[in-house]
Amino acid sequence: MKSTIHFTLALLLLCNFSFAQDNSKTATEPYPLNELAGFTQTFFYSPGHEARAKTIAIFMENAGIFFQNELRFTPQAKLYILAPHHWKDFAAKPLHDVYGFPHNIDHVRLAIAAEDNDFWRSFLPPVDQLAPHMAEQVTKAYGKPDGSYSMMPFFDLLALHELGHSYTAQAELNMHRNWMGELFVNIMLHTYVAEKQPELLPALETFPNMVLGGGTAEYKFTSLEDFEKLYPTLGMGPKNYGWYQSKLHSAAKDIYNAGGMKVMEKLWTALKKHQEEMTDEEFAAMLKNEVHPSVANVYFKWNKTD
Ligand SMILES: [Zn+2]
């Protein structure tokens, strides 16, 4: 079975790899997971993680209500909230060894981790080595009462980014460019959080702030042209990809702050309407004229703001 995997992991890897084989089980096969009752979407979880599954399900359901109201669309989705010993049975094969990497397996099934893990911890530098203002942000966003840190608040939000790819794929939007495919789901995520759960904004914004605040000296690729060219094979490498995703998270924030909630729906409508091929210039002009200048500025001003 051929499947497309959406990974995003805002700071890490790619979204659009195709794999020749996917050994993930389907919902019709027997498996040792429990299913939550009382939600419109389907949520499976490893036994012992019901409380966490409910927390995630409530977040995703509330977002689903918001997107149904704004976009008048709800995709089919099945979320798998997995303990480490179940990860390989359900995650897409290329990610079997990366517990914690949220990914959209086939535009319907979404795998996320139930527990904190080394993969999430690997993103957090020693907090005492950060600049004081950044250390303060990181502590506010990811600090725990016992003095330790967890990236769980950030990675949980990325589950919604991944679900966003199910929206655009199942509604058959034409994303036109790889950068727009990623930007749009970041706009969905930022718009929902800002509108409905602004207390989560620190968790969403701190990681990109930290990456972009470090400058571009250590990144070989920073142009939008290179992103388009290298995206299909992750040719820029995982860390450089993380920088690009940070730019696209930051752009989503700027777009929301400039144009408000309605930009998301206008962009959705435009991407559904414009199925025709467009040059970069035509695409940017359409975004400026039919959506909002701030969206076109991602293209026009990319190299001026890094
Ligand atoms: Zn993505």
Side-chain angles (χ1 to χ4, degrees):
M1 179 178 78
K2 187 177 177 66
S3 71
T4 300
I5 292 209
H6 280 287
F7 300 55
T8 325
L9 239 233
L11 299 169
L12 222 227
L13 296 177
L14 252 213
C15 249
N16 239 333
F17 290 137
S18 292
F19 295 97
Q21 186 178 8
D22 172 15
N23 289 340
S24 302
K25 294 177 182 176
T26 72
T28 57
E29 297 171 4
Y31 48 81
L33 302 183
N34 296 339
E35 183 176 352
L36 282 180
F39 294 94
T40 57
Q41 298 282 17
T42 303
F43 296 90
F44 297 109
Y45 64 95
S46 297
H49 292 290
E50 183 173 3
R52 177 148 168 71
K54 278 185 177 170
T55 301
I56 293 166
I58 290 167
F59 172 69
M60 301 299 262
E61 291 274 301
N62 286 336
I65 293 166
F66 176 76
F67 293 137
Q68 176 61 39
N69 284 338
E70 297 302 318
L71 305 175
R72 294 165 299 283
F73 185 81
T74 298
Q76 183 193 2
K78 294 184 173 72
L79 276 71
Y80 293 75
I81 300 152
L82 302 167
H85 63 281
H86 285 146
W87 186 258
K88 283 187 180 177
D89 289 340
F90 297 95
K93 191 174 182 181
L95 297 173
H96 276 184
D97 296 324
V98 194
Y99 179 68
F101 197 126
H103 57 286
N104 190 321
I105 297 167
D106 56 6
H107 296 152
V108 174
R109 292 174 298 146
L110 176 66
I112 61 177
E115 300 175 13
D116 205 350
N117 54 78
D118 287 343
F119 179 67
W120 295 356
R121 284 187 280 269
S122 72
F123 289 96
L124 190 65
V127 176
D128 59 4
Q129 292 178 18
L130 294 170
H133 71 284
M134 187 55 68
E136 190 180 331
Q137 281 187 43
V138 167
T139 300
K140 184 181 175 191
Y142 311 123
K144 294 165 68 176
D146 66 0
S148 65
Y149 296 88
S150 172
M151 296 300 293
M152 187 178 279
F154 176 75
F155 280 88
D156 281 357
L157 298 177
L158 296 188
L160 195 51
H161 169 119
E162 299 302 338
L163 188 62
H165 289 299
S166 295
Y167 279 80
T168 59
Q170 291 183 33
E172 299 182 337
L173 271 59
N174 183 350
M175 307 314 289
H176 292 272
R177 298 294 184 275
N178 294 322
W179 63 264
M180 179 54 76
E182 295 306 312
L183 175 67
F184 185 79
V185 294
N186 285 341
I187 291 172
M188 288 178 71
L189 172 58
H190 194 95
T191 300
Y192 172 69
V193 171
E195 287 288 327
K196 295 295 182 184
Q197 295 198 249
E199 72 278 10
L200 299 176
L201 281 174
L204 177 62
E205 295 178 351
T206 298
F207 206 133
N209 287 347
M210 195 168 64
V211 172
L212 296 177
T216 59
E218 62 181 300
Y219 302 108
K220 183 176 181 182
F221 305 104
T222 58
S223 74
L224 208 50
E225 292 78 8
D226 282 336
F227 182 78
E228 287 303 300
K229 197 165 53 185
L230 299 170
Y231 180 94
T233 59
L234 193 59
M236 72 288 277
K239 187 169 184 185
N240 207 152
Y241 180 76
W243 180 86
Y244 277 110
Q245 273 289 356
S246 295
K247 281 276 283 188
L248 292 166
H249 275 291
S250 186
K253 175 183 67 181
D254 292 343
I255 288 163
Y256 175 83
N257 289 341
M261 181 173 76
K262 289 299 172 192
V263 177
M264 178 179 72
E265 190 271 336
K266 289 178 78 173
L267 184 52
W268 171 277
T269 300
L271 295 172
K272 197 165 173 60
K273 171 186 166 190
H274 288 284
Q275 296 288 329
E276 75 277 18
E277 293 289 316
M278 286 191 242
T279 65
D280 284 348
E281 291 70 23
E282 288 167 344
F283 187 45
M286 183 278 287
L287 294 172
K288 181 180 177 183
N289 297 327
E290 297 186 29
V291 183
H292 195 272
S294 63
V295 184
N297 283 345
V298 177
Y299 173 76
F300 287 128
K301 297 187 175 179
W302 181 273
N303 292 322
K304 293 175 184 170
T305 56
D306 64 9

